[in-house]
Amino acid sequence: GGGGAGGGEGSRSGVAAAYLNLAADTMHNFTDGLALGLTFAQGKGIPTTVAVFAHEVPHNLADFAVLVRAGFSRRRALTAQFGSAMGAMVGCVAGLGLSEQPWMHAFVAGGFIYISTVTLVTSLLDDLRPLQTLA
């Protein structure tokens, strides 16, 4: 989950949002890892790696900024980001191990659809006034 955490610098809600962002990012990284493991097991991992790399660089820069703004030191933010990235390693191992399962492609695709939908709906709701949301 990139950049939308609310709250001021070091505020209680900002710190809570930062931890929620880390949890969401870990799940996102797990899904990325599943995709990588699945495609590498099928001999098609390079395009997936390029795609994941292209979206993860700006994503992680934004997440780092969210953590620092929430009051994390730069070192602590980097450590937290590294811990979150381990979700991709776990996902990759799972993807490699489960690559023969016929449902894996659907599971990974569903994970990406969920992530993008939640991100999109959240930002749409943030942009709308409450009455517009209900209409």
Side-chain angles (χ1 to χ4, degrees):
E9 277 189 54
S11 73
R12 193 172 181 151
S13 64
V15 171
Y19 282 111
L20 286 172
N21 187 61
L22 278 171
D25 197 37
T26 302
M27 294 309 298
H28 175 117
N29 288 335
F30 179 80
T31 304
D32 286 343
L34 280 175
L36 288 166
L38 182 61
T39 56
F40 267 104
Q42 297 173 346
K44 303 172 185 170
I46 299 301
T48 305
T49 301
V50 171
V52 168
F53 182 78
H55 90 261
E56 281 302 322
V57 170
H59 178 120
N60 283 307
L61 290 172
D63 286 342
F64 178 78
V66 167
L67 295 175
V68 170
R69 181 159 187 209
F72 284 56
S73 69
R74 290 175 194 254
R75 182 182 194 93
R76 186 169 167 220
L78 282 173
T79 302
Q81 284 292 102
F82 180 77
S84 172
M86 291 298 100
M89 298 299 290
V90 173
C92 188
V93 170
L96 287 167
L98 297 170
S99 65
E100 297 299 318
Q101 298 299 320
W103 48 266
M104 275 304 292
H105 285 92
F107 183 82
V108 172
F112 283 125
I113 290 169
Y114 175 78
I115 290 165
S116 61
T117 303
V118 167
T119 302
L120 177 64
V121 169
T122 301
S123 59
L124 285 174
L125 292 176
D126 285 346
D127 292 342
L128 297 176
R129 293 188 308 244
L131 291 178
Q132 287 176 317
T133 304
L134 296 174

